């Protein structure tokens, strides 16, 4: 038997009936578009996460407190019913009547029936989209629980000190680049010889601009003048050039280095050491990183708890 919810009764009184709404639903109500039902089915599949995790009593003869109905022993909560009624009312100009409220209840019952049938058919195990939705719901639930706690400033400062490497301002290097084009302008040997001549003249003390004008070519991506962090500098001079600039002293002239189809000669002009940015400079970044790690730790603990009470067997050929 199914129980119906009488919205006219005080306090949401539960009444018994053989077929709720059978005498009251008109023929037109029974022929409402199946589209509504299909939408409810999708929502029901998403709600399967709750049905899977809840230890709801099956086959109960009395409805538990807070239930508007029961479907095969699974209670439908009054709060869910009222939420659905409110959602429908917000889309209607006129107040909802008894037929509309009954319609909402019947659709919730249909939704639960579809969820239960989906579980019977094993869609949770066989349908990748359903599994993906359930995993997403569970991940959100676990991380949302961790997000409810906000750290105080003292805790954030301690986190900043403990993980100072995450809040480092990287070292920066300012360099100059002389690039000699290779083929088709000149052979590889000719390009290297030209670059070696440029390096010798620079080491002899000639001005960089003069040597570059005499022997260099316009690079495809000119090296910017402001100091750059290593992650950006490597884009302009390549890994070899980065080593030549980062691991030398100011004023050092590198040997010719292959780059971009030719050769480059680099001069290290200046450099600034990296530093840990103060808490005041990066307080919002500290908070965001604390939250990220908190969510990861909460998820890891939850998964460890699930594994601890699970029975997991691996095949011999499993990695």
């Amino acid at each position: 038997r199914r129980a119906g919810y009488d919205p006219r009764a005080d306090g949401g009184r539960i009444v018994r009936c053989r077929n709720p709404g059978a005498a009251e639903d008109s023929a037109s109500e029974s022929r409402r578009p199946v589209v509504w039902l299909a939408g409810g089915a999708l929502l029901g599949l998403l709600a399967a996460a709750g049905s899977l995790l809840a230890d709801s009593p099956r086959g109960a003869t009395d409805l538990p407190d807070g239930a508007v109905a029961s479907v095969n022993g699974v209670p439908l909560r009054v709060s869910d019913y009222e939420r659905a009624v409110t959602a429908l009312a917000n889309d209607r100009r006129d107040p909802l009547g008894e037929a509309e409220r009954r319609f909402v209840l019947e659709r919730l019952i249909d939704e639960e029936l579809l969820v239960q049938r989906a579980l019977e058919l094993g869609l949770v195990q066989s349908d990748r989209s359903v599994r993906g939705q359930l995993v997403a719901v569970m991940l959100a639930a676990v991380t949302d629980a961790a997000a409810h706690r906000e750290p105080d400033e003292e805790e954030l400062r301690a986190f900043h000190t403990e993980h100072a490497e995450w809040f480092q301002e990287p070292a920066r290097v300012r360099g100059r680049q002389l690039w000699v084009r290779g083929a088709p302008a000149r052979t590889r040997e000719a390009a290297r010889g030209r670059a070696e001549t440029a390096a010798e003249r620079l080491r002899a003390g000639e001005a960089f601009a003069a040597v570059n004008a005499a022997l260099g070519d316009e690079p495809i991506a000119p090296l910017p003048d402001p100091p750059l962090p290593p992650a950006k500098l490597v884009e302009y001079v390549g890994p070899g050039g980065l080593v030549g600039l980062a691991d030398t002293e100011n004023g050092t002239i590198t040997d010719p280095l292959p780059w971009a189809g030719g050769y480059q000669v680099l001069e290290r002009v200046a450099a600034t050491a990296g530093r840990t940015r103060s808490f005041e400079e990066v307080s919002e970044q500290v908070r965001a990183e604390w939250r990220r790690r908190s969510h990861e730790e909460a998820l890891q603990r939850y998964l460890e708890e699930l594994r601890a009470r699970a029975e997991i067997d691996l095949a011999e050929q499993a990695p």
Side-chain angles (χ1 to χ4, degrees):
R1 297 190 307 167
R2 301 192 297 181
Y5 180 76
D6 185 357
R8 298 167 298 178
D10 292 337
R13 178 172 58 86
I14 302 298
V15 297
R16 294 286 181 177
C17 59
R18 284 186 171 274
N19 187 8
E24 300 165 355
D25 287 348
S26 65
S28 59
E29 289 293 334
S30 66
R31 293 194 297 270
R32 287 182 178 271
V34 181
V35 174
W36 202 102
L37 181 57
L42 177 58
L43 295 176
L45 292 178
L46 288 173
S51 297
L52 283 174
L53 299 175
D55 294 325
S56 303
R58 298 275 174 172
T61 56
D62 295 322
L63 290 178
D65 293 340
V68 66
S70 175
V71 181
N72 293 324
V74 176
L76 302 182
R77 295 176 298 182
V78 172
S79 59
D80 291 336
Y81 165 74
E82 291 177 344
R83 189 179 301 111
V85 168
T86 300
L88 180 60
N90 290 337
D91 293 334
R92 304 286 291 271
R93 293 183 178 180
D94 300 327
L96 298 184
E98 181 178 353
E100 287 82 7
R101 298 174 68 88
R102 177 75 64 166
F103 173 75
V104 171
L105 177 58
E106 292 298 330
R107 295 294 73 77
L108 290 178
I109 293 173
D110 292 339
E111 180 183 286
E112 179 60 31
L113 287 171
L114 287 171
V115 169
Q116 293 182 19
R117 183 55 178 161
L119 296 177
E120 291 175 357
L121 295 175
L123 292 185
V124 175
Q125 286 74 33
S126 61
D127 191 295
R128 296 301 304 175
S129 62
V130 174
R131 290 175 65 87
Q133 290 170 348
L134 291 178
V135 170
V137 169
M138 287 303 306
L139 288 175
V142 174
T143 55
D144 285 350
H148 288 318
R149 189 179 79 82
E150 280 293 325
D152 56 27
E153 182 174 323
E154 182 179 355
E155 188 173 4
L156 290 176
R157 285 184 177 275
F159 181 84
H160 171 262
T161 301
E162 183 179 357
H163 303 284
E165 70 279 3
W166 280 86
F167 310 106
Q168 284 277 339
E169 183 178 281
R172 293 174 179 268
V173 177
R174 177 171 174 255
R176 290 189 287 209
Q177 179 191 52
L178 184 152
W179 181 68
V180 178
R181 187 186 305 276
R186 54 186 67 90
T187 65
R188 183 179 182 84
E189 292 74 14
R192 181 176 179 82
R194 192 179 180 94
E196 288 175 344
T197 300
E200 292 171 0
R201 291 175 59 174
L202 291 172
R203 288 174 182 148
E206 290 190 44
F208 191 95
V211 176
N212 192 28
L215 299 173
D217 296 304
E218 182 66 24
I220 299 173
L223 178 63
D225 186 62
L228 297 176
K232 194 67 177 177
L233 186 60
V234 72
E235 297 179 8
Y236 293 95
V237 299
L242 177 62
V243 172
L245 290 175
D247 295 343
T248 56
E249 300 294 331
N250 292 344
T252 299
I253 304 298
T254 69
D255 292 330
L257 301 168
W259 179 242
Y263 285 87
Q264 64 179 344
V265 176
L266 301 171
E267 177 187 7
R268 171 165 159 160
V269 178
T272 57
R275 69 180 184 91
T276 300
R277 287 172 287 183
S278 68
F279 176 78
E280 286 72 19
E281 290 179 279
V282 292
S283 59
E284 288 306 312
Q285 295 178 34
V286 173
R287 185 180 298 274
E289 181 62 21
W290 184 95
R291 286 174 177 166
R292 186 187 69 81
R293 294 197 180 202
S294 177
H295 291 174
E296 287 184 351
E297 292 170 1
L299 177 59
Q300 186 60 38
R301 287 194 301 269
Y302 193 80
L303 290 174
E304 289 174 357
E305 293 173 2
L306 293 179
R307 284 176 172 267
R309 64 173 187 251
E311 182 177 342
I312 302 174
D313 298 316
L314 299 179
E316 291 183 359
Q317 66 272 23

